Amino acid sequence: MGKIRVGMIGTGGIAHWHARQLKELEDVAIVAITDPSAQNRERIISEHQIEGVIEFTDHNEMLANSELDAVVICSPHTLHFQQAMDALNNGCHVLIEKPMACSQKEADELIETAEKLGKILQVSYQRHFQPEFLFIRNAIANGEIGNLTSVTASLYQEWGQGTVGSWRQVPSLSGGGMLMDSGSHIVDVLLWTTGLSPVEVSTQMEKHQSPVELDSFTSIRFENGVVAGLNIVGFAPCWHETYVFCGENGGIFYDNGKITIRRLGEEPITPQLPQQTTNQDKSFIDAILGKHEVLVPGQFAREVVKLTEMIYKAAGYQPLGENDKITS
């Protein structure tokens, strides 16, 4: 088999991360890119020295006029669904940036289409490959702290101040605010590391005069009586990310990358973390090549979309108002 021919839909900020990781793989050739912005296209080609790439302004033109095996989607959130559907229906495997879609209905349709066509659909949640979160997930699964009793997950970021004037604060493109964007990673960690399903939520939310929500504080009751607090703060002075997983026999504390295990009456333990062996792009290509299963499948990412929808509904918040709805 020759190189996997990849097309990139969207060449803004996060696309550079994907381009760098794809360029590291011998089995991959980035052969086409699409973005309405000529400046964005020129920058990614120049910075990553992508030779011989064909440029397009529309993803359907790229799909119709390029020979592709896979696409990586890095566009605004509300565009993900249609672009992924078009790519799947044109015979491409799809790696899609978070969030997978802006509704559970869209997520279900993407999963069904990928399964019907026999194509790989992976979502780019990079924490699934990072040593800290691999450790947390395995420690919980192995009973290191006993049965879970509660979880607190918090992200603070200068998101509101840093996204003024960008598509991220345009509801018809973003599908929501901080929770739908950076907060999606925190929802991902909460669900993936614990393996729990939410039963009910209650939420307080604040826009701070922004077009989209910035701060949300959510109380969650999971199955098996586990309670959780999800705090997504987009009007903050800096990035700060914390998690506390409490169990019957101890707790795991994560603070900006540093992990400690605490048990009643004992000194804190700093655990040895596993080595990182892959990333979202390498694992996607390896899944196409049949080296392993899809590591972040659409079925899982759908659960992130589902909880996000539950939170917005609990807050009485509809980012896509009647005049802003995107038709698929």
Side-chain angles (χ1 to χ4, degrees):
M1 182 177 183
K3 290 190 175 186
I4 303 295
R5 299 163 297 183
V6 174
M8 300 189 70
I9 300 177
T11 59
I14 195 63
H16 287 260
W17 191 353
H18 290 283
R20 176 178 57 80
Q21 293 185 157
L22 289 168
K23 286 277 290 182
E24 293 172 351
L25 304 175
E26 293 182 356
D27 296 322
V28 172
I30 301 173
V31 299
I33 59 173
T34 180
D35 195 305
S37 168
Q39 182 179 4
N40 282 355
R41 299 195 308 270
E42 180 181 352
R43 182 180 168 216
I44 201 168
I45 291 171
S46 173
E47 289 192 11
H48 301 280
Q49 299 179 346
I50 308 174
E51 298 176 357
V53 68
I54 308 173
E55 298 180 52
F56 298 92
T57 58
D58 177 80
H59 76 281
N60 280 313
E61 290 180 4
M62 182 183 76
L63 293 170
N65 295 286
S66 304
E67 294 186 1
L68 299 173
D69 302 302
V71 299
V72 178
I73 297 176
C74 304
S75 56
H77 306 152
T78 59
L79 307 182
H80 288 181
F81 170 74
Q82 193 59 57
Q83 290 172 346
M85 286 292 290
D86 291 340
L88 290 168
N89 284 314
N90 275 272
C92 294
H93 303 287
V94 173
L95 174 62
I96 189 168
E97 260 299 329
K98 57 76 192 162
M100 174 187 182
C102 291
S103 72
Q104 186 180 347
K105 179 178 179 294
E106 289 181 342
D108 286 338
E109 190 170 343
L110 283 174
I111 292 166
E112 180 182 348
T113 301
E115 289 178 346
K116 180 179 67 176
L117 297 175
K119 295 301 174 182
I120 286 170
L121 175 64
Q122 180 166 319
V123 183
S124 186
Y125 283 120
Q126 70 264 23
R127 283 163 172 78
H128 288 238
F129 310 103
Q130 294 174 349
E132 299 87 351
F133 298 104
L134 287 167
F135 171 83
I136 291 170
R137 183 173 186 264
N138 291 335
I140 292 171
N142 294 335
E144 289 287 330
I145 58 173
N147 292 327
L148 277 177
T149 55
S150 70
V151 184
T152 305
S154 301
L155 175 63
Y156 304 85
Q157 184 184 357
E158 61 275 46
W159 189 93
Q161 304 94 313
T163 58
V164 172
S166 76
W167 65 263
R168 296 179 190 276
Q169 289 199 25
V170 178
S172 60
L173 292 174
S174 65
M178 173 71 168
L179 176 64
M180 183 68 77
D181 194 30
S182 295
S184 186
H185 288 296
I186 312 308
V187 175
D188 162 56
V189 170
L190 181 61
L191 296 178
W192 176 64
T193 58
T194 65
L196 296 173
S197 296
V199 176
E200 60 180 340
V201 305
S202 61
T203 299
Q204 296 294 325
M205 201 168 273
E206 179 58 50
K207 289 185 175 181
H208 299 294
Q209 300 181 331
S210 166
V212 293
E213 108 284 340
L214 300 185
D215 300 345
S216 59
F217 292 80
T218 302
S219 174
I220 305 169
R221 178 169 292 279
F222 285 105
E223 58 192 356
N224 303 328
V226 180
V227 293
L230 175 67
N231 309 316
I232 306 298
V233 180
F235 195 67
C238 63
W239 181 289
H240 198 88
E241 185 174 345
T242 64
Y243 305 89
V244 178
F245 303 85
C246 288
E248 295 172 335
N249 301 323
I252 301 171
F253 293 75
Y254 173 103
D255 190 343
N256 273 5
K258 181 182 178 181
I259 295 178
T260 55
I261 298 176
R262 302 296 301 264
R263 294 190 174 89
L264 188 64
E266 299 181 11
E267 290 296 313
I269 299 169
T270 301
Q272 184 173 354
L273 303 180
Q275 295 293 315
Q276 181 164 346
T277 60
T278 188
N279 56 49
Q280 60 270 55
D281 296 286
K282 184 179 186 303
S283 67
F284 173 57
I285 298 301
D286 284 345
I288 293 173
L289 294 172
K291 295 183 179 181
H292 58 63
E293 64 183 7
V294 181
L295 298 185
V296 191
Q299 289 85 345
F300 172 80
R302 173 182 56 194
E303 298 306 309
V304 177
V305 175
K306 177 181 176 181
L307 179 52
T308 303
E309 273 196 320
M310 288 176 67
I311 292 170
Y312 279 164
K313 183 177 180 180
Y317 178 53
Q318 294 180 295
L320 295 177
E322 290 302 318
N323 295 326
D324 260 332
K325 283 185 179 175
I326 302 298
T327 56
S328 301

